[in-house]
Amino acid sequence: MSAFKVHFRKGGVFLPRVGLWLDSHEPQPAGTVFISHAHSDHTELHREIIVSAPTSQLMRARMSGEWMEHVLPFGQPWNFSGGELNSQITLLPAGHIFGSAMAWIKAENESLLYTGDFKLRPGLSAEKCEPRHADVLIMETTYGRPQYRFPPSDEVIQGVIRFCREALDNEETPVLLGYSLGKSQELLCGLGDAGLPIMLHGTVHKLTKIYEQFGRCFPPYEKYDADSARGKVLLCPPNVAGSAMLRNLGRTRAAVLTGWAVDPNCRFRYQAHAAFPLSDHADFPDLVEFVKQVRPKKVYTLHGFAAEFAQTLRDLGFDAQPLSEQDQLALPLNLAPAKPNNRKKSVAPAELKETATTPFPPGEPFHRFAETCARIATTTKKLEKTAILAEYLKPLQPQSLAAASVWFTGNPFPPSQNKTLQLGWALIRDALCGAANLDQAEFGQIYLKHSDLGEASFEILSRLPEKDTCFGSISSTEQFLEQILTARGPTGKLPLLTSAFVCCTPIEAKFLTKILTGDLRIGLKEGLVEEAIAKAFDAPLDHIKRVNLLVGNIGEAAVLAAHKQLPSATLLPFRAVKYMLASPEETAADIWNRVLAWHAPEANSSAEPLPNLDLPKPQITVWVEDKYDGIRAQIHRVGKTAAIFSRDLKEITRSFEELAETARLLPDDFILDGEIVAMRGEEILPYAELQRRLGRREADLFMREQIPVQFIAFDLLWRNGQNLLEKPLSDRRAQLESTLGRDAFQRAPNISSGAPEPQSFRPAQITNASSGLEIEAAFTAARARNNEGLIIKDPASVYVPGRRGLAWLKLKKAYATLDCVVVGAEYGHGKRRSVLSDYTFAVRDENSGELKTIGKAFTGLTDVEIARLTQHFLKRVVFQRGRYFAVEPDTVLEIAFDLLQPSPRHTSGLAMRFPRIVRIRTDKTLAEIDTLATARKIADSKNGEKV
């Protein structure tokens, strides 16, 4: 009979003839347990344990209780008599974390090696693993699939350092998420030569101090302090993601350090911006190598992919059997089954050149743009970045200047053009593989070192023979981006991308990829690009900013600055301008406090809030307009041509052709700002009715009759060639009344069926308010007219495109609703089992910019809407887990709810009680969803009650 009969129970291994438990996952009130290391999934409150000295100290720091322990030094045999056989146990370093041990046991001329978790390759903070020959091997196989191959750790650390420096350069706080015991100390050692300011989360700091008690040395670090954390590299456990600690830090950028980073979906699962494969475990090749070094007669595999790795060993000629088949990965993640890494057929350059529609013309080389990006990335000094960029921009010709200025902001096109390349991560991966003759497994190994497509592009093309030619010019790059934009689907885009990478040098590929992904990350913000343009062309910075806001195109602003024509920038008909926005307030009292603050600060100098709505106040009057439940729109009209633009600056004329027809009948040329509202007579129809008219490509006369609309004009931006933005609102209003006719104004908003033309146009009704009580009364009246609330405006205010200031305020408190973005969709049940009808949605953290989940809803939409959304979301899947699909965040829903309450289930820390979908906000973009701060205000106030 073998001395090592093995029993496996609930994760722990028992050797009955020896009388020893190995890493028992259940407390053992009797018997002795060998504990391999101090991670919580290997420790329990047993009566008697065998451990290494570091593990003993780490356990006492992490758990309370009393136990009897035998602390053994590495390599020293200890006689043990716990069962029917006398045995000898020797602890060997496992290399997993500091103090982690393997148990080498000898009984009746047989030997057994038990590993627990281990790592064969040398680490920076743990003892080196020392395998020893044994007859029986019991080993963990966490990463027991061939796909789990980790790049060299030093290369991964360099990627982490780059990530941290880029984040700091972009005024973000880098947060590195790794286990507080083992991973964090390994990472701390790895960052030692980088000179980064490092701060440790409290639990990481506590355990690091125990390392130091045993003589381990680390680079300088600080213990976490909220007041001085910004600008430091934070080492934190993964559960910190989404916590209040990070929310209070402002803009953060998180990376998770884990072996599961091999899974391309890993960063989404951990809610991180990047994932690096830094692991305390052996990867697949090291698991195989370890078995070869031990040379066992019998192998038992544990944890992870135990069954699959046992089969691998049998294929190699070993007698192997899994003790556990639990897929450890199924707990935190959900990987797809491993697929064979077949080398993809590369496309020869001759074939690729035939796919390009036009040759690259000469001009300012893209290569110099890429080199300038690299220079800017090497410095953290803003003035130096600005100087380098100004030096580059100054000699450029207008076309190159316009394009490059936009690219330096991280966008392939000006935001005002509403152009989206529709390029996914996988498509760029496939193009790089095709250009460099790589299979996906080889690409994955390179990408894992950087967790950045641009950096991966650089390394991939650096491995190819040096090219004699470059990608092309700025002009040809513009042309290439337009070709990608217009190409249909992956089959149309992939050949263009591949041919481009074939022509690129490594540095060109790096920054071309960064433009394609909209993530330049060289420490340039739009404000710095504006400063560089001002410096390059000796132009006033405030003029540059004004023109950029006005035209929505920093490239155009640069060209105007170069030609000393900034004052000529003006509104142009049929080029939609960004809308001026109103700042939200919760109550009429809050509104009036704001009014007092901007008009007479001395009247509101007290730090205490106003106790009521009618305190003595200066004679101040504001204008109050109804807030309509419609679609914000601009109507441009010159001569017999008219066009309508939505809130996101897209043309929607065909959906509301009758409004354009009426605009053509008016005597003036103009640009009107207002709201399209569904109305039948004097009855305002629900927004859902109006929404049915959006997205129609052709005019629909039947829809005109079924859902008639009105355009409620509340501002006039341009009239008969004159730009009115700098005029006070009172002047703009007077001209608006003149444009639409005094009779129409006097009768608004209750125009009867016999009212004169234009019946489909009317100015917004305004009333004066001189107190909070008057604003409250106006709000009640607006709600009685079935409108959402109020907009309160300063009559002296100018129109500032794209800004949300205090000159316009809004009061909307009829029901508790939030505009949220969908981040996940699931198949429904019953009759909806074949459609994605259950939606998880999020708000934006105003500090970090991250999306934080806040609820899930499945009621409120029609079957037709759900069917359309199903088609939409299935084309935008980021990753799938069973019935759940994580999707690109591009669909905004207005969600009503009864209550917001604290909840650990959602990353926002809040959950909606009884959420229901009010409508799909096709008029809003991701940038316009509600913030976490707004949600917290609602949670702290009356919450979901009707007002």
Side-chain angles (χ1 to χ4, degrees):
M1 179 186 295
S2 172
F4 298 115
K5 186 177 181 181
V6 176
H7 288 176
F8 177 76
R9 179 180 175 184
K10 294 186 178 180
V13 176
F14 182 55
L15 306 178
R17 300 195 70 198
V18 174
L20 181 66
W21 283 92
L22 305 173
D23 278 336
S24 174
H25 290 192
E26 294 181 317
Q28 297 299 330
T32 305
V33 182
F34 164 69
I35 294 180
S36 62
H37 63 284
H39 277 154
S40 57
D41 60 338
H42 285 254
T43 57
E44 275 292 351
L45 194 58
H46 310 298
R47 184 185 69 87
E48 185 177 356
I49 62 174
I50 300 172
V51 291
S52 70
T55 298
S56 171
Q57 290 299 312
L58 291 166
M59 281 181 61
R60 293 188 181 280
R62 307 192 82 192
M63 58 188 296
S64 59
E66 294 297 329
W67 55 81
M68 181 189 304
E69 63 182 19
H70 305 281
V71 179
L72 305 184
F74 287 124
Q76 179 175 311
W78 183 67
N79 293 323
F80 174 72
S81 180
E84 63 182 86
L85 299 179
N86 292 323
S87 60
Q88 188 181 80
I89 182 170
T90 305
L91 302 192
L92 304 174
H96 175 58
I97 64 172
F98 182 52
S100 62
M102 302 182 290
W104 189 81
I105 305 168
K106 190 173 182 181
E108 284 192 339
N109 297 319
E110 281 190 87
S111 58
L112 177 146
L113 181 65
Y114 169 78
T115 68
D117 296 334
F118 74 96
K119 180 175 65 179
L120 191 59
R121 61 194 183 282
L124 300 174
S125 62
E127 304 88 348
K128 183 179 179 180
C129 182
E130 298 181 8
R132 181 178 292 188
H133 166 66
D135 299 306
V136 178
L137 171 62
I138 304 175
M139 64 182 299
E140 66 98 357
T141 54
T142 300
Y143 294 109
R145 279 181 173 174
Q147 68 204 68
Y148 293 106
R149 300 169 185 266
F150 304 149
S153 296
D154 57 342
E155 295 181 4
V156 175
I157 289 291
Q158 289 305 308
V160 175
I161 292 171
R162 173 195 55 77
F163 173 90
C164 294
R165 286 177 172 159
E166 284 185 357
L168 293 171
D169 205 21
N170 283 275
E171 299 179 356
E172 301 163 324
T173 300
V175 180
L176 304 180
L177 303 173
Y179 290 134
S180 55
L181 174 57
K183 188 72 60 61
S184 291
Q185 289 74 29
E186 184 79 2
L187 190 55
L188 182 57
C189 290
L191 299 178
D193 296 332
L196 296 168
I198 300 173
M199 185 170 277
L200 306 185
H201 182 274
T203 57
V204 178
H205 183 270
K206 177 181 178 180
L207 297 171
T208 302
K209 287 298 182 183
I210 295 177
Y211 275 61
E212 291 176 340
Q213 293 174 15
F214 285 87
R216 296 284 160 166
C217 297
F218 297 97
Y221 61 83
E222 303 173 55
K223 185 178 180 181
Y224 174 76
D225 176 71
D227 294 334
S228 58
R230 295 189 183 186
K232 309 289 176 60
V233 177
L234 303 188
L235 272 58
C236 302
N239 60 8
V240 165
S243 68
M245 168 187 159
L246 295 192
R247 290 198 298 268
N248 296 331
L249 288 177
R251 287 163 48 83
T252 60
R253 192 164 180 85
V256 62
L257 290 303
T258 172
W260 302 124
V262 172
D263 171 22
N265 302 323
C266 176
R267 69 183 183 93
F268 299 106
R269 309 302 303 141
Y270 284 91
Q271 302 172 24
H273 297 89
F276 292 95
L278 190 68
S279 179
D280 295 325
H281 293 261
D283 65 358
F284 180 82
D286 275 357
L287 290 173
V288 174
E289 176 61 25
F290 185 86
V291 176
K292 291 179 178 179
Q293 290 188 27
V294 174
R295 306 187 312 280
K297 300 176 182 177
K298 177 73 176 182
V299 183
Y300 294 100
T301 57
L302 273 173
H303 310 307
F305 302 101
E308 292 178 57
F309 190 71
Q311 181 61 54
T312 297
L313 293 180
R314 288 195 292 273
D315 293 342
L316 293 173
F318 292 95
D319 180 4
Q321 173 186 340
L323 285 178
S324 71
E325 296 189 15
Q326 181 186 22
D327 185 349
Q328 193 177 60
L329 185 59
L331 300 177
L333 300 170
N334 184 20
L335 280 178
K339 296 180 180 179
N341 292 319
N342 297 323
R343 180 174 294 276
K344 297 184 67 173
K345 178 182 180 295
S346 63
V347 187
E351 296 175 289
L352 291 169
K353 289 178 181 177
E354 295 178 0
T355 67
T357 57
T358 52
F360 292 136
E364 171 65 26
F366 180 77
H367 190 84
R368 203 164 78 85
F369 169 87
E371 288 179 330
T372 303
C373 288
R375 285 183 63 200
I376 291 171
T378 60
T379 178
T380 60
K381 300 176 181 178
K382 292 183 180 179
L383 289 178
E384 191 173 343
K385 289 179 184 289
T386 302
I388 294 171
L389 181 52
E391 177 188 1
Y392 171 78
L393 294 175
K394 191 170 184 178
L396 295 183
Q397 294 299 309
Q399 183 178 355
S400 296
L401 174 62
S405 297
V406 172
W407 297 343
F408 278 119
T409 66
N411 298 301
F413 304 106
S416 60
Q417 293 183 2
N418 285 297
K419 295 179 177 178
T420 304
L421 290 174
Q422 300 289 341
L423 283 179
W425 183 92
L427 195 59
I428 296 176
R429 174 203 63 195
D430 291 347
L432 286 166
C433 287
N437 195 26
L438 285 180
D439 64 27
Q440 290 186 13
E442 292 171 301
F443 172 89
Q445 286 294 296
I446 296 172
Y447 176 79
L448 288 172
K449 293 187 290 185
H450 308 286
S451 195
D452 181 281
L453 275 174
E455 298 293 339
S457 303
F458 182 85
E459 179 173 338
I460 288 169
L461 293 193
S462 295
R463 298 181 174 192
L464 301 180
E466 187 174 348
K467 295 180 173 64
D468 295 328
T469 58
C470 296
F471 177 54
S473 66
I474 294 291
S475 176
S476 65
T477 305
E478 266 194 299
Q479 177 185 341
F480 163 72
L481 293 175
E482 290 289 344
Q483 291 172 354
I484 291 292
L485 177 71
T486 56
R488 301 192 61 177
T491 55
K493 296 178 188 292
L494 181 58
L496 292 171
L497 270 177
T498 309
S499 63
F501 286 131
V502 165
C503 298
C504 280
T505 63
I507 196 169
E508 290 172 336
K510 174 179 177 176
F511 289 104
L512 178 63
T513 302
K514 287 178 173 288
I515 292 172
L516 293 172
T517 58
D519 196 18
L520 197 61
R521 301 202 64 76
I522 57 174
L524 277 184
K525 298 184 182 298
E526 192 166 35
L528 285 182
V529 180
E530 291 173 333
E531 290 181 24
I533 293 170
K535 181 178 179 66
F537 305 112
D538 194 24
L541 179 59
D542 59 335
H543 290 189
I544 300 288
K545 291 181 178 292
R546 174 188 169 276
V547 171
N548 189 24
L549 275 175
L550 184 64
V551 302
N553 184 340
I554 198 170
E556 185 174 338
V559 172
L560 290 173
H563 291 83
K564 310 300 180 185
Q565 294 178 353
L566 287 171
S568 68
T570 186
L571 282 180
L572 291 178
F574 309 111
R575 183 178 66 186
V577 65
K578 294 180 180 179
Y579 291 81
M580 184 170 176
L581 304 172
S583 297
E585 292 294 341
E586 296 297 325
T587 67
D590 293 335
I591 293 282
W592 194 244
N593 284 343
R594 287 287 196 181
V595 171
L596 292 179
W598 88 56
H599 277 93
E602 68 282 356
N604 194 34
S605 59
S606 171
E608 296 295 326
L610 295 180
N612 61 59
L613 302 177
D614 274 335
L615 284 179
K617 53 194 172 296
Q619 291 300 313
I620 299 171
T621 300
V622 293
W623 285 2
V624 177
E625 300 173 1
D626 284 15
K627 185 181 188 306
Y628 300 94
D629 191 12
I631 297 170
R632 186 84 179 269
Q634 288 174 22
I635 297 187
H636 295 228
R637 186 266 192 190
V638 175
K640 297 300 181 183
T641 303
I644 307 172
F645 298 91
S646 65
R647 187 187 184 100
D648 57 4
L649 309 186
K650 294 180 180 178
E651 187 173 352
I652 55 172
T653 309
R654 289 182 176 179
S655 296
F656 303 102
E657 188 62 45
E658 70 269 38
L659 295 180
E661 292 171 358
T662 301
R664 297 183 190 107
L665 299 175
L666 293 169
D668 293 333
D669 295 335
F670 55 75
I671 298 176
L672 291 174
D673 183 6
E675 195 95 359
I676 299 173
V677 180
M679 294 185 69
R680 183 177 292 111
E682 298 308 311
E683 179 190 3
I684 296 180
L685 304 179
Y687 178 85
E689 293 292 303
L690 179 63
Q691 195 174 32
R692 292 169 57 194
R693 296 196 52 172
L694 289 174
R696 294 179 177 267
R697 297 186 177 181
E698 301 295 338
D700 191 326
L701 295 178
F702 175 76
M703 291 297 291
R704 290 194 198 185
E705 296 295 326
Q706 189 179 29
I707 308 171
V709 295
Q710 296 275 345
F711 183 75
I712 310 298
F714 47 72
D715 221 323
L716 181 64
L717 312 185
W718 181 90
R719 185 188 189 198
N720 297 331
Q722 182 184 12
N723 178 2
L724 303 179
L725 296 184
E726 299 297 326
K727 299 288 185 181
L729 175 59
S730 55
D731 288 358
R732 301 198 305 272
R733 176 69 187 204
Q735 295 202 47
L736 173 64
E737 294 172 14
S738 175
T739 296
L740 297 185
R742 172 64 62 178
D743 289 342
F745 169 67
Q746 290 175 338
R747 300 172 63 88
N750 297 310
I751 299 177
S752 67
S753 59
E757 289 289 350
Q759 289 186 18
S760 56
F761 278 65
R762 61 176 71 180
Q765 182 185 24
I766 60 172
T767 56
N768 295 331
S770 298
S771 71
L773 282 177
E774 291 178 3
I775 292 175
E776 187 71 40
F779 174 81
T780 302
R783 288 297 300 142
R785 292 189 287 269
N786 291 328
N787 290 321
E788 285 188 320
L790 295 179
I791 301 292
I792 296 87
K793 299 180 179 179
D794 180 358
S797 61
V798 298
Y799 194 100
V800 184
R803 291 290 174 86
R804 191 187 300 276
L806 298 180
W808 290 12
L809 302 170
K810 65 181 178 182
L811 178 61
K812 175 188 174 184
K813 57 177 186 176
Y815 296 95
T817 66
L818 288 171
D819 290 328
C820 305
V821 68
V822 178
V823 295
E826 296 178 64
Y827 283 105
H829 298 83
K831 71 173 185 177
R832 291 183 173 176
R833 62 184 179 276
S834 60
V835 292
L836 298 176
S837 62
D838 300 4
Y839 310 120
T840 299
F841 38 82
V843 293
R844 175 182 286 103
D845 186 328
E846 64 281 2
N847 294 319
S848 66
E850 297 175 351
L851 299 178
K852 303 293 187 181
T853 58
I854 197 168
K856 176 180 175 181
F858 52 88
T859 60
L861 298 181
T862 66
D863 290 343
V864 173
E865 289 172 324
I866 292 172
R868 289 174 180 169
L869 286 180
T870 298
Q871 295 178 0
H872 175 84
F873 289 138
L874 288 176
K875 296 176 182 177
R876 289 161 174 81
V877 175
V878 176
F879 66 88
Q880 179 184 359
R881 186 179 70 250
R883 299 169 62 87
Y884 178 86
F885 294 81
V887 298
E888 296 177 12
D890 64 358
T891 301
V892 179
L893 303 178
E894 183 178 4
I895 309 294
F897 52 93
D898 291 351
L899 189 68
L900 274 177
Q901 52 196 9
S903 171
R905 293 182 56 194
H906 294 294
T907 56
S908 66
L910 298 170
M912 293 178 175
R913 185 171 182 265
F914 302 134
R916 57 267 191 200
I917 302 168
V918 177
R919 53 176 165 164
I920 306 171
R921 294 303 303 259
T922 53
D923 60 322
K924 287 200 172 185
T925 64
L926 174 63
E928 297 171 293
I929 65 173
D930 280 313
T931 64
L932 186 54
T934 300
R936 289 183 181 137
K937 281 185 180 180
I938 295 175
D940 292 338
S941 63
K942 291 185 178 181
N943 235 306
E945 297 175 11
K946 285 188 180 181
V947 179

